Amino acid sequence: MEETFKTLPKHTLNWSKGKLTFYKYEGFWSIKKYLEEVILAQQSFKARPTDVLLCSCPKTGTTWLKALAFAIVTRDKFNESTTPLLTTLPHDCLPILEKTLDRIEDNSCFPLMSTHIPYTSLPESVLSSNCKIVYIYRNVKDVIVSQEISKLAIEDAPFEEAFDEFCQGVSFYGPYWDHILGYWKASLERPDTILFLKYEDLKMDPVSNVKRLAEFIGYPFSIQETNAGVVEKIIQLCSFENLSKLEVNKSENLPAKDFVVENQFFFFRKAKDGDWENYFTDDMKEKVDKLIDQELSSTGLVLK
Ligand code: PAP
């Protein structure tokens, strides 16, 4: 492992708690701790055809997708007053692929698992098992703000510096646009096994998108459930307004042990579309528009 890291390109960033070194592994940047987990997962994770992987780049709607998928899959077991989502951070409701290497003991039939690993670096068994993948993504400008403001919230490093690094591709599992592209290309090749969801679409039309999600992961809503308003109840349970006010999800109660930073903006900040307008200068807006055009114009993927 140490030998591998000696050969990787690296870049040091300013971080709320000091400096943080990122390494570039298989075309994507992250910190050593996370990349070690990726490498170990590549060596030993055994996917099952029944697994459903919730995949995302950080700050694109992961927490929300995890809560929704968990509520969908466990709706026969729990109702809105007994669900673990009331007392457990959504991230702790389902396993993370990189942290679930030994599956011998895991006899559960619970299908959900999450990961930030880019498509092209997923363990080979994920692809050969043909298990289902749900990918969520979000507009680039709001992701920059969500990620960089979380990172900078309690320090005085300028936003401009963080912005430039993100645009150079140096962000968690970045370049972000390459992360999306990997899953997008795969979703074209394997539409039956990869569902591509957009954070903004989920916000604009939660009912259809939650139904789509439930159907795709094999837990469709029955007509009786639909008539009884089960879809709306799940949407309400997992809404930002509801989850962010729960004691367990408040900043001071976050289990910081596994996360790089802990501060009040980390998982639940504003959840507002277009918040980038409060941080970007005209030059920044233009730079991102040009960058995305340059990176994606030949691919067919359109990110508004
Ligand atoms: P993570 O990668 O650290 O888990 P992730 O959940 O992907 O973060 O994204 C966090 C963003 O989702 C935050 O956006 P913001 O910074 O623009 O506010 C967070 O507020 C938002 N978010 C968290 N939970 C929800 C939810 N239930 N509904 C909508 N947005 C949410």
Side-chain angles (χ1 to χ4, degrees):
M1 195 66 91
E2 287 309 314
E3 288 307 306
T4 305
F5 278 90
K6 277 186 197 157
T7 64
L8 300 180
K10 41 181 193 171
H11 186 96
T12 300
L13 300 179
N14 285 320
W15 190 258
S16 53
K17 302 245 163 85
K19 303 275 179 197
L20 200 61
T21 301
F22 275 53
Y23 293 82
K24 194 177 199 183
Y25 175 70
E26 297 187 343
F28 292 88
W29 292 96
S30 198
I31 56 169
K32 192 173 179 200
K33 174 178 168 357
Y34 292 171
L35 289 176
E36 280 172 351
E37 290 174 351
V38 172
I39 294 169
L40 291 175
Q42 289 177 329
Q43 291 166 354
S44 56
F45 178 76
K46 297 276 173 287
R48 297 171 183 158
T50 49
D51 288 337
V52 174
L53 294 189
L54 307 181
C55 304
S56 61
C57 218
K59 301 297 163 201
T60 60
T62 318
T63 313
W64 192 15
L65 178 62
K66 284 187 185 185
L68 285 169
F70 180 83
I72 290 169
V73 165
T74 61
R75 68 185 187 269
D76 283 346
K77 218 167 156 194
F78 307 112
N79 61 35
E80 59 276 23
S81 47
T82 59
T83 175
L85 282 166
L86 299 177
T87 50
T88 317
L89 184 71
H91 285 274
D92 291 338
C93 286
L94 45 133
I96 295 175
L97 185 159
E98 300 87 301
K99 299 184 193 297
T100 316
L101 302 187
D102 179 10
R103 306 192 75 187
I104 299 161
E105 297 299 320
D106 170 20
N107 291 322
S108 85
C109 52
F110 183 75
L112 303 173
M113 204 170 267
S114 73
T115 186
H116 286 317
I117 302 179
Y119 184 79
T120 43
S121 292
L122 285 172
E124 207 283 319
S125 67
V126 170
L127 309 186
S128 57
S129 71
N130 232 12
C131 68
K132 287 192 173 170
I133 290 177
V134 179
Y135 185 74
I136 189 158
Y137 72 108
R138 186 182 186 188
N139 84 75
V140 182
K141 292 174 190 140
D142 280 333
V143 171
I144 295 179
V145 168
S146 186
Q147 189 166 131
E148 303 308 333
I149 293 300
S150 282
K151 198 171 97 181
L152 302 172
I154 50 174
E155 59 138 4
D156 46 12
F159 176 64
E160 288 74 13
E161 189 180 312
F163 171 90
D164 281 340
E165 275 155 349
F166 193 103
C167 291
Q168 285 164 37
V170 190
S171 58
F172 282 100
Y173 305 94
Y176 175 46
W177 43 93
D178 286 345
H179 200 285
I180 306 176
L181 260 185
Y183 281 93
W184 180 72
K185 283 183 188 159
S187 76
L188 298 182
E189 285 159 18
R190 309 169 50 201
D192 295 345
T193 48
I194 304 184
L195 176 69
F196 219 58
L197 273 184
K198 191 170 180 187
Y199 177 91
E200 290 80 7
D201 291 345
L202 200 49
K203 268 196 149 182
M204 202 170 1
D205 185 358
V207 172
S208 326
N209 282 294
V210 166
K211 283 185 181 167
R212 229 175 118 211
L213 172 63
E215 202 159 316
F216 181 80
I217 63 181
Y219 291 77
F221 294 102
S222 65
I223 293 173
Q224 290 83 343
E225 284 180 311
T226 307
N227 291 343
V230 174
V231 182
E232 286 79 2
K233 279 185 191 157
I234 286 179
I235 291 168
Q236 159 59 21
L237 168 70
C238 301
S239 67
F240 179 81
E241 292 67 29
N242 189 48
L243 292 182
S244 61
K245 69 172 196 283
L246 297 175
E247 269 318 296
V248 65
N249 293 330
K250 289 194 176 150
S251 58
E252 58 274 24
N253 301 329
L254 284 183
K257 55 181 173 12
D258 260 358
F259 305 112
V260 180
V261 287
E262 80 290 0
N263 67 53
Q264 74 225 52
F265 297 127
F266 200 47
F267 295 123
F268 297 91
R269 199 180 64 93
K270 290 187 191 168
K272 186 171 166 282
D273 289 346
D275 191 38
W276 61 268
E277 294 193 46
N278 294 317
Y279 296 90
F280 277 32
T281 60
D282 289 347
D283 284 352
M284 286 173 162
K285 176 187 177 303
E286 202 178 311
K287 184 169 175 177
V288 174
D289 287 341
K290 264 197 195 145
L291 177 69
I292 295 309
D293 189 47
Q294 175 192 313
E295 297 293 334
L296 301 183
S297 60
S298 61
T299 67
L301 173 61
V302 179
L303 292 185
K304 276 181 277 161

